PDB file of all heavy atoms in Angstrom:
ATOM      1  N   LEU A  15      40.567 -13.085   5.100  1.00  0.00           N
ATOM      2  CA  LEU A  15      41.544 -13.171   4.041  1.00  0.00           C
ATOM      3  C   LEU A  15      41.438 -11.972   3.095  1.00  0.00           C
ATOM      4  O   LEU A  15      42.451 -11.374   2.718  1.00  0.00           O
ATOM      5  CB  LEU A  15      41.329 -14.499   3.268  1.00  0.00           C
ATOM      6  CG  LEU A  15      42.242 -14.690   2.073  1.00  0.00           C
ATOM      7  CD1 LEU A  15      43.705 -14.744   2.441  1.00  0.00           C
ATOM      8  CD2 LEU A  15      41.838 -15.949   1.321  1.00  0.00           C
ATOM      9  N   SER A  16      40.240 -11.636   2.702  1.00  0.00           N
ATOM     10  CA  SER A  16      40.113 -10.473   1.774  1.00  0.00           C
ATOM     11  C   SER A  16      40.506  -9.182   2.496  1.00  0.00           C
ATOM     12  O   SER A  16      41.138  -8.291   1.878  1.00  0.00           O
ATOM     13  CB  SER A  16      38.698 -10.367   1.226  1.00  0.00           C
ATOM     14  OG  SER A  16      37.747 -10.078   2.236  1.00  0.00           O
ATOM     15  N   VAL A  18      42.812  -8.867   4.923  1.00  0.00           N
ATOM     16  CA  VAL A  18      44.265  -8.892   5.028  1.00  0.00           C
ATOM     17  C   VAL A  18      44.916  -8.513   3.714  1.00  0.00           C
ATOM     18  O   VAL A  18      45.837  -7.721   3.617  1.00  0.00           O
ATOM     19  CB  VAL A  18      44.778 -10.243   5.575  1.00  0.00           C
ATOM     20  CG1 VAL A  18      46.263 -10.375   5.381  1.00  0.00           C
ATOM     21  CG2 VAL A  18      44.378 -10.430   7.030  1.00  0.00           C
ATOM     22  N   LEU A  19      44.396  -9.087   2.617  1.00  0.00           N
ATOM     23  CA  LEU A  19      44.928  -8.807   1.323  1.00  0.00           C
ATOM     24  C   LEU A  19      44.678  -7.317   0.914  1.00  0.00           C
ATOM     25  O   LEU A  19      45.553  -6.687   0.331  1.00  0.00           O
ATOM     26  CB  LEU A  19      44.319  -9.756   0.283  1.00  0.00           C
ATOM     27  CG  LEU A  19      44.752 -11.188   0.304  1.00  0.00           C
ATOM     28  CD1 LEU A  19      43.948 -12.030  -0.638  1.00  0.00           C
ATOM     29  CD2 LEU A  19      46.265 -11.310   0.041  1.00  0.00           C
ATOM     30  N   ALA A  20      43.519  -6.785   1.266  1.00  0.00           N
ATOM     31  CA  ALA A  20      43.224  -5.390   0.937  1.00  0.00           C
ATOM     32  C   ALA A  20      44.121  -4.475   1.782  1.00  0.00           C
ATOM     33  O   ALA A  20      44.627  -3.471   1.249  1.00  0.00           O
ATOM     34  CB  ALA A  20      41.749  -5.105   1.250  1.00  0.00           C
ATOM     35  N   GLY A  22      47.089  -5.213   2.871  1.00  0.00           N
ATOM     36  CA  GLY A  22      48.370  -5.347   2.249  1.00  0.00           C
ATOM     37  C   GLY A  22      48.507  -4.483   1.019  1.00  0.00           C
ATOM     38  O   GLY A  22      49.530  -3.879   0.742  1.00  0.00           O
ATOM     39  N   ASN A  23      47.453  -4.420   0.201  1.00  0.00           N
ATOM     40  CA  ASN A  23      47.432  -3.571  -0.961  1.00  0.00           C
ATOM     41  C   ASN A  23      47.490  -2.093  -0.578  1.00  0.00           C
ATOM     42  O   ASN A  23      48.112  -1.280  -1.234  1.00  0.00           O
ATOM     43  CB  ASN A  23      46.210  -3.883  -1.835  1.00  0.00           C
ATOM     44  CG  ASN A  23      46.380  -3.444  -3.276  1.00  0.00           C
ATOM     45  OD1 ASN A  23      47.472  -3.167  -3.716  1.00  0.00           O
ATOM     46  ND2 ASN A  23      45.299  -3.331  -3.972  1.00  0.00           N
ATOM     47  N   PHE A  26      50.994  -1.522   0.317  1.00  0.00           N
ATOM     48  CA  PHE A  26      51.777  -1.566  -0.900  1.00  0.00           C
ATOM     49  C   PHE A  26      51.608  -0.290  -1.748  1.00  0.00           C
ATOM     50  O   PHE A  26      52.584   0.158  -2.408  1.00  0.00           O
ATOM     51  CB  PHE A  26      51.414  -2.809  -1.708  1.00  0.00           C
ATOM     52  CG  PHE A  26      52.235  -2.981  -2.977  1.00  0.00           C
ATOM     53  CD1 PHE A  26      53.610  -3.198  -2.862  1.00  0.00           C
ATOM     54  CD2 PHE A  26      51.666  -3.039  -4.244  1.00  0.00           C
ATOM     55  CE1 PHE A  26      54.410  -3.370  -3.998  1.00  0.00           C
ATOM     56  CE2 PHE A  26      52.432  -3.210  -5.358  1.00  0.00           C
ATOM     57  CZ  PHE A  26      53.808  -3.394  -5.271  1.00  0.00           C
ATOM     58  N   THR A  55      39.760  -3.149  -3.731  1.00  0.00           N
ATOM     59  CA  THR A  55      40.333  -4.478  -3.506  1.00  0.00           C
ATOM     60  C   THR A  55      39.340  -5.381  -2.792  1.00  0.00           C
ATOM     61  O   THR A  55      39.163  -6.538  -3.148  1.00  0.00           O
ATOM     62  CB  THR A  55      41.669  -4.375  -2.750  1.00  0.00           C
ATOM     63  OG1 THR A  55      42.504  -3.463  -3.487  1.00  0.00           O
ATOM     64  CG2 THR A  55      42.342  -5.703  -2.611  1.00  0.00           C
ATOM     65  N   LEU A  58      36.511  -6.365  -5.197  1.00  0.00           N
ATOM     66  CA  LEU A  58      36.916  -7.369  -6.169  1.00  0.00           C
ATOM     67  C   LEU A  58      37.119  -8.745  -5.537  1.00  0.00           C
ATOM     68  O   LEU A  58      36.762  -9.761  -6.137  1.00  0.00           O
ATOM     69  CB  LEU A  58      38.184  -6.914  -6.876  1.00  0.00           C
ATOM     70  CG  LEU A  58      38.063  -5.663  -7.803  1.00  0.00           C
ATOM     71  CD1 LEU A  58      39.391  -5.315  -8.420  1.00  0.00           C
ATOM     72  CD2 LEU A  58      37.000  -5.880  -8.864  1.00  0.00           C
ATOM     73  N   CYS A  59      37.651  -8.782  -4.352  1.00  0.00           N
ATOM     74  CA  CYS A  59      37.792 -10.076  -3.612  1.00  0.00           C
ATOM     75  C   CYS A  59      36.418 -10.660  -3.353  1.00  0.00           C
ATOM     76  O   CYS A  59      36.236 -11.867  -3.441  1.00  0.00           O
ATOM     77  CB  CYS A  59      38.572  -9.881  -2.314  1.00  0.00           C
ATOM     78  SG  CYS A  59      40.348  -9.639  -2.533  1.00  0.00           S
ATOM     79  N   MET A  62      35.020 -12.276  -6.372  1.00  0.00           N
ATOM     80  CA  MET A  62      35.594 -13.603  -6.528  1.00  0.00           C
ATOM     81  C   MET A  62      34.918 -14.575  -5.594  1.00  0.00           C
ATOM     82  O   MET A  62      34.573 -15.699  -5.922  1.00  0.00           O
ATOM     83  CB  MET A  62      37.077 -13.622  -6.289  1.00  0.00           C
ATOM     84  CG  MET A  62      37.875 -12.813  -7.277  1.00  0.00           C
ATOM     85  SD  MET A  62      37.685 -13.430  -8.986  1.00  0.00           S
ATOM     86  CE  MET A  62      36.678 -12.162  -9.706  1.00  0.00           C
ATOM     87  N   TRP A 120      44.561   0.039 -10.395  1.00  0.00           N
ATOM     88  CA  TRP A 120      43.555  -0.937 -10.807  1.00  0.00           C
ATOM     89  C   TRP A 120      44.148  -2.323 -10.983  1.00  0.00           C
ATOM     90  O   TRP A 120      43.612  -3.329 -10.601  1.00  0.00           O
ATOM     91  CB  TRP A 120      42.853  -0.515 -12.090  1.00  0.00           C
ATOM     92  CG  TRP A 120      41.731   0.424 -11.833  1.00  0.00           C
ATOM     93  CD1 TRP A 120      41.817   1.815 -11.782  1.00  0.00           C
ATOM     94  CD2 TRP A 120      40.377   0.114 -11.612  1.00  0.00           C
ATOM     95  NE1 TRP A 120      40.582   2.348 -11.588  1.00  0.00           N
ATOM     96  CE2 TRP A 120      39.664   1.346 -11.468  1.00  0.00           C
ATOM     97  CE3 TRP A 120      39.646  -1.062 -11.551  1.00  0.00           C
ATOM     98  CZ2 TRP A 120      38.326   1.371 -11.210  1.00  0.00           C
ATOM     99  CZ3 TRP A 120      38.275  -1.020 -11.325  1.00  0.00           C
ATOM    100  CH2 TRP A 120      37.650   0.185 -11.158  1.00  0.00           C
ATOM    101  N   LEU A 121      45.371  -2.325 -11.619  1.00  0.00           N
ATOM    102  CA  LEU A 121      46.030  -3.636 -11.849  1.00  0.00           C
ATOM    103  C   LEU A 121      46.408  -4.308 -10.534  1.00  0.00           C
ATOM    104  O   LEU A 121      46.323  -5.527 -10.408  1.00  0.00           O
ATOM    105  CB  LEU A 121      47.251  -3.410 -12.770  1.00  0.00           C
ATOM    106  CG  LEU A 121      46.918  -3.100 -14.216  1.00  0.00           C
ATOM    107  CD1 LEU A 121      48.205  -2.818 -15.024  1.00  0.00           C
ATOM    108  CD2 LEU A 121      46.096  -4.202 -14.868  1.00  0.00           C
ATOM    109  N   THR A 122      46.867  -3.501  -9.564  1.00  0.00           N
ATOM    110  CA  THR A 122      47.215  -4.142  -8.258  1.00  0.00           C
ATOM    111  C   THR A 122      45.987  -4.673  -7.556  1.00  0.00           C
ATOM    112  O   THR A 122      45.986  -5.745  -6.990  1.00  0.00           O
ATOM    113  CB  THR A 122      47.961  -3.185  -7.302  1.00  0.00           C
ATOM    114  OG1 THR A 122      47.166  -2.040  -7.096  1.00  0.00           O
ATOM    115  CG2 THR A 122      49.313  -2.788  -7.886  1.00  0.00           C
ATOM    116  N   ALA A 123      44.853  -3.987  -7.714  1.00  0.00           N
ATOM    117  CA  ALA A 123      43.598  -4.439  -7.083  1.00  0.00           C
ATOM    118  C   ALA A 123      43.144  -5.749  -7.795  1.00  0.00           C
ATOM    119  O   ALA A 123      42.699  -6.703  -7.114  1.00  0.00           O
ATOM    120  CB  ALA A 123      42.488  -3.406  -7.185  1.00  0.00           C
ATOM    121  N   VAL A 124      43.259  -5.816  -9.091  1.00  0.00           N
ATOM    122  CA  VAL A 124      42.887  -7.031  -9.835  1.00  0.00           C
ATOM    123  C   VAL A 124      43.868  -8.146  -9.517  1.00  0.00           C
ATOM    124  O   VAL A 124      43.455  -9.319  -9.298  1.00  0.00           O
ATOM    125  CB  VAL A 124      42.863  -6.733 -11.386  1.00  0.00           C
ATOM    126  CG1 VAL A 124      42.784  -8.024 -12.153  1.00  0.00           C
ATOM    127  CG2 VAL A 124      41.711  -5.809 -11.697  1.00  0.00           C
ATOM    128  N   ALA A 125      45.151  -7.821  -9.326  1.00  0.00           N
ATOM    129  CA  ALA A 125      46.120  -8.861  -8.977  1.00  0.00           C
ATOM    130  C   ALA A 125      45.864  -9.423  -7.596  1.00  0.00           C
ATOM    131  O   ALA A 125      45.975 -10.641  -7.385  1.00  0.00           O
ATOM    132  CB  ALA A 125      47.562  -8.275  -9.032  1.00  0.00           C
ATOM    133  N   VAL A 126      45.507  -8.558  -6.624  1.00  0.00           N
ATOM    134  CA  VAL A 126      45.204  -9.042  -5.325  1.00  0.00           C
ATOM    135  C   VAL A 126      43.942  -9.923  -5.358  1.00  0.00           C
ATOM    136  O   VAL A 126      43.878 -10.973  -4.687  1.00  0.00           O
ATOM    137  CB  VAL A 126      45.063  -7.885  -4.324  1.00  0.00           C
ATOM    138  CG1 VAL A 126      44.478  -8.351  -2.997  1.00  0.00           C
ATOM    139  CG2 VAL A 126      46.398  -7.192  -4.096  1.00  0.00           C
ATOM    140  N   ALA A 127      42.950  -9.513  -6.116  1.00  0.00           N
ATOM    141  CA  ALA A 127      41.745 -10.399  -6.282  1.00  0.00           C
ATOM    142  C   ALA A 127      42.137 -11.709  -6.929  1.00  0.00           C
ATOM    143  O   ALA A 127      41.564 -12.747  -6.555  1.00  0.00           O
ATOM    144  CB  ALA A 127      40.702  -9.646  -7.113  1.00  0.00           C
ATOM    145  N   GLY A 128      43.095 -11.680  -7.821  1.00  0.00           N
ATOM    146  CA  GLY A 128      43.582 -12.932  -8.396  1.00  0.00           C
ATOM    147  C   GLY A 128      44.307 -13.828  -7.354  1.00  0.00           C
ATOM    148  O   GLY A 128      44.179 -15.030  -7.381  1.00  0.00           O
ATOM    149  N   ILE A 129      45.020 -13.187  -6.460  1.00  0.00           N
ATOM    150  CA  ILE A 129      45.663 -13.914  -5.377  1.00  0.00           C
ATOM    151  C   ILE A 129      44.561 -14.529  -4.505  1.00  0.00           C
ATOM    152  O   ILE A 129      44.672 -15.700  -4.081  1.00  0.00           O
ATOM    153  CB  ILE A 129      46.590 -13.012  -4.573  1.00  0.00           C
ATOM    154  CG1 ILE A 129      47.815 -12.616  -5.420  1.00  0.00           C
ATOM    155  CG2 ILE A 129      47.050 -13.686  -3.270  1.00  0.00           C
ATOM    156  CD1 ILE A 129      48.663 -11.511  -4.828  1.00  0.00           C
ATOM    157  N   TYR A 130      43.561 -13.769  -4.164  1.00  0.00           N
ATOM    158  CA  TYR A 130      42.457 -14.259  -3.369  1.00  0.00           C
ATOM    159  C   TYR A 130      41.799 -15.473  -4.033  1.00  0.00           C
ATOM    160  O   TYR A 130      41.559 -16.491  -3.398  1.00  0.00           O
ATOM    161  CB  TYR A 130      41.415 -13.133  -3.176  1.00  0.00           C
ATOM    162  CG  TYR A 130      40.201 -13.589  -2.352  1.00  0.00           C
ATOM    163  CD1 TYR A 130      40.228 -13.504  -1.000  1.00  0.00           C
ATOM    164  CD2 TYR A 130      39.082 -14.016  -2.988  1.00  0.00           C
ATOM    165  CE1 TYR A 130      39.097 -13.902  -0.233  1.00  0.00           C
ATOM    166  CE2 TYR A 130      37.945 -14.377  -2.281  1.00  0.00           C
ATOM    167  CZ  TYR A 130      37.969 -14.350  -0.898  1.00  0.00           C
ATOM    168  OH  TYR A 130      36.877 -14.745  -0.136  1.00  0.00           O
ATOM    169  N   LEU A 131      41.541 -15.356  -5.362  1.00  0.00           N
ATOM    170  CA  LEU A 131      40.938 -16.440  -6.108  1.00  0.00           C
ATOM    171  C   LEU A 131      41.852 -17.656  -6.102  1.00  0.00           C
ATOM    172  O   LEU A 131      41.357 -18.790  -5.869  1.00  0.00           O
ATOM    173  CB  LEU A 131      40.642 -15.991  -7.519  1.00  0.00           C
ATOM    174  CG  LEU A 131      40.068 -17.053  -8.455  1.00  0.00           C
ATOM    175  CD1 LEU A 131      38.724 -17.521  -7.953  1.00  0.00           C
ATOM    176  CD2 LEU A 131      39.961 -16.504  -9.865  1.00  0.00           C
ATOM    177  N   SER A 132      43.119 -17.461  -6.276  1.00  0.00           N
ATOM    178  CA  SER A 132      44.080 -18.580  -6.258  1.00  0.00           C
ATOM    179  C   SER A 132      44.112 -19.316  -4.918  1.00  0.00           C
ATOM    180  O   SER A 132      44.094 -20.565  -4.890  1.00  0.00           O
ATOM    181  CB  SER A 132      45.513 -18.105  -6.593  1.00  0.00           C
ATOM    182  OG  SER A 132      45.516 -17.484  -7.855  1.00  0.00           O
TER     183      SER A 132
END
Side-chain angles (χ1 to χ4, degrees):
L15 175 62
S16 67
V18 166
L19 289 172
N23 201 17
F26 184 61
T55 304
L58 293 178
C59 286
M62 295 300 107
W120 276 90
L121 290 176
T122 59
V124 168
V126 170
I129 292 168
Y130 179 86
L131 177 63
S132 299

